[in-house]
Amino acid sequence: MTVRRTNRWRGVTAITFLAIAVGVLTGRPAAVLAGGIGVAYAAFAARSEPPVPTLDIDRTVSTTAPADGESVAVTLTIQNDDGFIPDLRLVDGVPESLDVVDGAPRIATSLRAGRTATFSYTLEVTRGSHSFDPITALTRDASGALERETAMSVESTIECTPRLQDIGEFPLRTSTVRRVGTVPTNDAGSGVEFHAVRDYRPGDPLSRVDWRRLARTGTMSTVEFRRERAASIVTVIDAREQSRVSGPDARPLIDYCVRAAGGVAATRLDAGDRVGAASFGPYWEWTPPGLGRDHRERLSRSLALDDGYATHPPDRRFLGGLVFRRLRKNLPSDAQVVWCSPLLDDDVVRYLRRLEATGHAVTVISPDATGGTTPGQQLATIERTMRIRRLRQTGIRVVDWDLTTSLPLAIAGARRGWRR
Amino acid sequence: MTTFDERPPRFAVSVSVVSALIAVVLTLPGGPMAFAIAAVGLTVFATGAYRGHRVLVSIGGLVIVGGALVSAAFGAPVATVLAAMGSAFVAWDVGEYGIGLGLQVGHAARSRHAVVTHTAGSAIVAGVTTIVGILVFSVGPGGRPFSALVFLLVGAVALAIALTE
């Protein structure tokens, strides 16, 4: 709590002296009496005592689980629990990460004892956890000569957890783990895709006997299918400084990366694969690959709210070598990696090639924020294209996502160049 | 946060300009020169009030006060001189108050109630003093020495200065 002088009444006594001087010089008592008004105001200001606010403030947000991009109305109700406050100004502590789109988060009013004032404004919500800062309350007495500033804390948090959105098909690469699933392998076993025919051995299930061949040639044979196995996937979001560059709708690229990771997770979880997530950035986040509804919830919340995936610029240093080693250590040996990154620097190419070389099949989804006419921008575009080419040369699949189209479209386009 | 409009709230600007206008009109009994000075003051004041410039508001207010004093010098009745002075003070008070509101709370925020309360307080101070001044004048000279009045006021001012420290 601080009290300060506003000094607004400075000079009032000078005016009084001026009036008296005019009155004396011209012999007009009216002018002298006019000076009395200045005296009255000076006395008024001298009795200044800015009240200590005793307020009961309540903040309500219109929606408890807003969607990404939804507008919510924030309403503040202030009750004066003490004496009359002639001049009360309040500034709400709107979270820095959110924008006010309608109304104002401030009010100036005067409150009698026991009375209530309300005001409201509209915020546009984005993914993440947003906490309100303390409210600033400024009180003055009637003359306004002194002002008292108080901070009042009313805790509120807005959490926006966007649902993981299915992106249609997302084919994986052919390295796998030992659970039965949907990734075709080059081994023979049980599955649904035809692989080969061999001689019938006693004990083979009769459902797999090739009856047509028996009818045709009279020999018993068994059909074998490609053994399908479940995949273990880790989506890695590039959360370094480079991802804070803005995309077309003024959202930082990390948002697109998170959206892509969420989409891959949704699609592959639906297909029965185990999916996890990691943040490659100053804040380490790690969700090991898992299955099921609970896991999906946990993944969704982590991607929405954890610091490692947040849109605000990081205030920690990033030590690439350490984080990469940690990632390698945590990755299950048979896990595929879906790396979501704008590919705006060369370091990331090294990391990816190393992952691929150590047996983790890598697929990259890269939102494209380049494009533009200045020489610097054109250079950035060319450099990024060359990085993609280098990655593809090592067998890494890259989805070059043009942000003017949807991700499913970008994936479909990229698939055309993929072999099994 | 999004853009912050620092202009004074419209209601405060309107009240202050109207009050200044009243003060200017009340200088008329003091002759054309008093009125002209006050009118110039009004223009400066209104510009400052609307744009949110404290300096212009203070200068404009001071010039209007000058106009009121000139009207007194040219023999205007006590009632109009005091009322003009009082209106000028209220105008300046509310004008500067509005500018402060704009800076702290912004143009878009709700502030009407605060302005109304503040104007009421200011008007009471100006109004009471005007009435007291008129009473003093009507009861006073005729017999009382003029200098006694001056000394009374100087004493009051000294007291006021002491109180504000």
Side-chain angles (χ1 to χ4, degrees):
Chain A
M1 192 183 299
T2 48
V3 181
R4 54 171 163 264
R5 294 177 165 279
T6 58
N7 286 322
R8 50 194 310 261
W9 290 112
R10 215 182 345 190
V12 120
T13 43
I15 293 176
T16 309
F17 275 123
L18 175 70
I20 293 172
V22 168
V24 167
L25 287 171
T26 58
R28 302 287 183 181
V32 175
L33 284 169
I37 293 184
V39 171
Y41 272 99
F44 180 44
R47 297 199 55 233
S48 183
E49 181 62 63
V52 178
T54 313
L55 302 169
D56 183 13
I57 307 181
D58 184 46
R59 188 194 289 120
T60 53
V61 181
S62 62
T63 330
T64 44
D68 194 2
E70 192 177 329
S71 296
V72 295
V74 180
T75 309
L76 273 97
T77 313
I78 308 117
Q79 181 169 323
N80 185 3
D81 287 338
D82 207 354
F84 177 50
I85 303 176
D87 186 339
L88 172 68
R89 301 162 198 205
L90 284 177
V91 180
D92 198 6
V94 176
E96 266 189 57
S97 41
L98 295 179
D99 279 341
V100 177
V101 293
D102 195 26
R106 298 165 231 109
I107 189 177
T109 183
S110 75
L111 271 185
R112 299 211 293 276
R115 303 283 262 185
T116 315
T118 47
F119 68 100
S120 61
Y121 56 98
T122 316
L123 289 174
E124 190 176 306
V125 178
T126 55
R127 171 180 68 88
S129 176
H130 313 275
S131 292
F132 278 81
D133 292 327
I135 300 172
T136 311
L138 299 144
T139 51
R140 292 182 180 190
D141 72 312
S143 79
L146 287 173
E147 180 177 82
R148 188 189 300 268
E149 180 173 331
T150 320
M152 321 200 101
S153 181
V154 180
E155 310 248 316
S156 300
T157 309
I158 297 179
E159 279 188 355
C160 174
T161 314
R163 272 189 342 180
L164 302 183
Q165 281 205 312
D166 205 302
I167 49 173
E169 278 196 53
F170 188 77
L172 298 174
R173 295 180 56 188
T174 48
S175 91
T176 62
V177 107
R178 249 169 260 104
R179 260 186 91 259
V180 179
T182 56
V183 179
T185 64
N186 287 324
D187 302 339
S190 60
V192 291
E193 195 181 325
F194 179 75
H195 177 71
V197 172
R198 58 169 173 79
D199 286 337
Y200 176 79
R201 270 179 244 143
D204 282 345
L206 287 176
S207 58
R208 292 239 240 104
V209 172
D210 190 351
W211 297 109
R212 262 204 252 115
R213 185 177 279 239
L214 179 63
R216 236 185 318 126
T217 64
T219 50
M220 290 274 279
S221 49
T222 306
V223 177
E224 276 190 324
F225 298 95
R226 292 178 87 157
R227 190 198 300 230
E228 292 174 337
R229 285 173 168 164
S232 181
I233 303 156
V234 173
T235 57
V236 178
I237 286 107
D238 186 345
R240 299 170 298 157
E241 263 190 270
Q242 291 84 341
S243 293
R244 297 310 192 277
V245 169
S246 288
D249 62 354
R251 293 268 207 109
L253 288 178
I254 192 172
D255 249 2
Y256 292 99
C257 296
V258 169
R259 228 184 288 168
V264 168
T267 306
R268 295 320 309 183
L269 283 171
D270 282 343
D273 293 326
R274 308 162 86 219
V275 182
S279 167
F280 190 71
Y283 295 97
W284 171 254
E285 307 289 352
W286 169 255
T287 310
L291 276 183
R293 192 150 19 121
D294 282 348
H295 179 81
R296 192 184 176 124
E297 253 318 297
R298 208 175 328 133
L299 200 59
S300 172
R301 275 189 76 81
S302 175
L303 284 175
L305 304 174
D306 283 344
D307 276 335
Y309 310 115
T311 52
H312 58 75
D315 55 5
R316 253 195 231 172
R317 270 193 322 153
F318 171 68
L319 301 163
L322 278 177
V323 178
F324 187 65
R325 270 204 294 283
R326 199 168 178 183
L327 176 66
R328 289 256 321 266
K329 201 158 62 110
N330 280 284
L331 275 177
S333 53
D334 44 23
Q336 291 202 27
V337 169
V338 177
W339 187 286
C340 307
S341 163
L343 296 179
L344 292 175
D345 66 306
D346 289 328
D347 286 342
V348 71
V349 174
R350 278 192 298 118
Y351 294 129
L352 289 170
R353 288 172 75 152
R354 250 197 285 168
L355 278 177
E356 177 77 20
T358 51
H360 300 287
V362 177
T363 310
V364 174
I365 301 180
S366 181
D368 184 5
T370 59
T373 48
T374 74
Q377 287 169 333
Q378 289 177 334
L379 182 63
T381 313
I382 294 170
E383 284 183 336
R384 183 173 168 276
T385 313
M386 295 197 52
R387 282 180 205 121
I388 293 177
R389 197 176 305 162
R390 286 218 303 280
L391 289 170
R392 284 179 176 154
Q393 276 167 359
T394 49
I396 296 173
R397 283 183 185 168
V398 180
V399 177
D400 188 359
W401 180 13
D402 174 0
L403 292 178
T404 58
T405 63
S406 69
L407 182 57
L409 221 61
I411 292 171
R415 271 181 80 179
R416 280 185 233 120
W418 293 350
R419 284 166 288 121
R420 273 200 173 272
Chain B
M1 256 223 258
T2 39
T3 53
F4 184 81
D5 186 356
E6 286 186 335
R7 288 178 305 147
R10 228 173 21 171
F11 186 63
V13 173
S14 316
V15 168
S16 68
V17 170
V18 163
S19 192
L21 189 64
I22 292 172
V24 170
V25 165
L26 285 168
T27 62
L28 272 171
M33 183 151 97
F35 181 74
I37 294 171
V40 167
L42 174 64
T43 328
V44 175
F45 178 85
T47 316
Y50 184 72
R51 296 249 194 90
H53 284 258
R54 270 198 177 107
V55 175
L56 285 180
V57 162
S58 297
I59 291 175
L62 194 63
V63 174
I64 296 175
V65 163
L69 292 176
V70 168
S71 80
F74 277 87
V78 170
T80 59
V81 169
L82 289 183
M85 193 77 160
S87 297
F89 263 83
V90 171
W92 177 85
D93 189 9
V94 177
E96 195 278 344
Y97 185 75
I99 294 173
L101 275 185
L103 290 172
Q104 278 186 341
V105 150
H107 188 83
R110 288 235 315 253
S111 56
R112 184 178 280 236
H113 199 54
V115 175
V116 167
T117 309
H118 190 87
T119 310
S122 198
I124 288 170
V125 170
V128 165
T129 327
T130 303
I131 291 169
V132 166
I134 293 171
L135 287 174
V136 164
F137 185 76
S138 57
V139 164
R144 311 283 139 108
F146 179 48
S147 41
L149 189 60
V150 175
F151 288 129
L152 214 87
L153 251 164
V154 172
V157 170
L159 184 67
I161 296 171
L163 286 170
T164 42
E165 293 310 299

